[in-house]
Amino acid sequence: MKALKERILRDGKCFEGGILKVDNFINHQMDPILMKSMAVEFVRRFASTDINKIITVEASGIAPAIMVGYLLELPVVFAKKKTPSTMEHMLATKVFSFTKQRSYDVCVSSDYLCKGDKVLFIDDFLANGNAAKGILELVEQAGAELVGMGFLIEKAFQHGGDELRQMGIHVESLAIIESLDNCEIKIKDDGYDR
Ligand code: 5GP
């Protein structure tokens, strides 16, 4: 997506270890106009998909997910990273965090992720795909169906996207980063210039 790619090149910052910082418009300060445009693009790319619920992981997935949910008029559920003592009918799994280099639990109540749901997963970044695989595990535990995954930014050099696509999952990423070597942002030409 052209506007996102341009914004990444303008305001994105590279950090050691292949981390892209987009705190100026996604992860700390947020640009709601760009967020809305990105959600519109997800709606377009998943137009032929039967979806009844959006799922994400707290915290940075919530903003794009709720924009998509708003446009599609569908409920949005976020998996929690801390296990609330009050959660009923909890489904849980472990996810390894690439940015924090440690594992954490993610959980969701089966009151909100239910058998028969057709869920679209939305998140800010796709790197190694651990968060995505954790969500897939929760969706399977619930007896729901994962119908697609949409990411604002995919880092192709970490290959999570390859794995998910090989699993037959419909994955859409609005900007694909080819490399962050030498702290230079190289974005893949994916043929989308809208
Ligand atoms: P994965 O589970 O695919 O390895 O990593 C995805 C998660 O890690 C995302 O939910 C995101 O929060 C975080 N993440 C991975 N790479 C980056 C990055 O380069 N920049 C930022 N800001 N977050 C990242």
Side-chain angles (χ1 to χ4, degrees):
M1 186 189 153
K2 192 163 180 258
L4 173 60
K5 292 182 202 167
E6 286 172 355
R7 191 67 183 267
I8 292 169
L9 292 175
R10 198 182 87 193
D11 290 332
K13 291 194 172 66
C14 290
F15 278 71
E16 285 301 319
I19 293 183
L20 176 65
K21 200 168 168 184
V22 287
D23 274 20
N24 170 291
F25 58 104
I26 293 175
N27 287 138
H28 196 10
Q29 172 170 267
M30 289 184 272
D31 179 341
I33 308 295
L34 179 63
M35 206 61 96
K36 184 201 159 203
S37 307
M38 295 191 287
V40 168
E41 182 62 14
F42 280 135
V43 169
R44 200 182 65 78
R45 294 195 194 188
F46 289 105
S48 58
T49 307
D50 186 14
I51 306 164
N52 79 324
K53 198 167 278 181
I54 312 297
I55 191 162
T56 188
V57 190
E58 66 176 347
S60 46
I62 294 176
I66 203 153
M67 284 281 184
V68 175
Y70 176 76
L71 294 175
L72 293 175
E73 299 186 9
L74 293 174
V76 179
V77 177
F78 64 94
K80 300 195 175 205
K81 287 183 178 166
K82 284 201 186 104
T83 313
S85 58
T86 52
M87 187 182 282
E88 292 178 304
H89 313 125
M90 189 170 74
L91 308 170
T93 192
K94 279 203 185 306
V95 167
F96 182 77
S97 164
F98 162 73
T99 43
K100 300 198 174 82
Q101 289 293 309
R102 63 173 171 82
S103 288
Y104 60 92
D105 293 312
V106 279
C107 62
V108 68
S109 167
S110 63
D111 292 344
Y112 305 118
L113 180 62
C114 320
K115 192 171 165 49
D117 274 342
K118 292 173 182 293
V119 299
L120 173 66
F121 174 57
I122 296 287
D123 204 2
D124 59 343
F125 273 89
L126 170 60
N128 295 305
N130 294 317
K133 281 182 260 174
I135 290 297
L136 179 59
E137 163 70 25
L138 294 179
V139 168
E140 283 170 354
Q141 283 183 32
E145 185 190 346
L146 183 92
V147 294
M149 293 190 164
F151 302 92
L152 304 180
I153 302 173
E154 172 178 343
K155 294 187 293 178
F157 57 90
Q158 286 176 299
H159 304 295
D162 295 341
E163 244 184 280
L164 298 174
R165 291 181 182 98
Q166 271 161 24
M167 289 163 74
I169 298 170
H170 177 188
V171 178
E172 292 287 347
S173 301
L174 304 187
I176 301 179
I177 310 294
E178 244 166 23
S179 139
L180 295 174
D181 291 350
N182 307 314
C183 277
E184 192 195 334
I185 304 173
K186 283 205 185 119
I187 301 185
K188 187 177 169 188
D189 179 6
D190 56 7
Y192 284 102
D193 36 329
R194 63 171 71 223

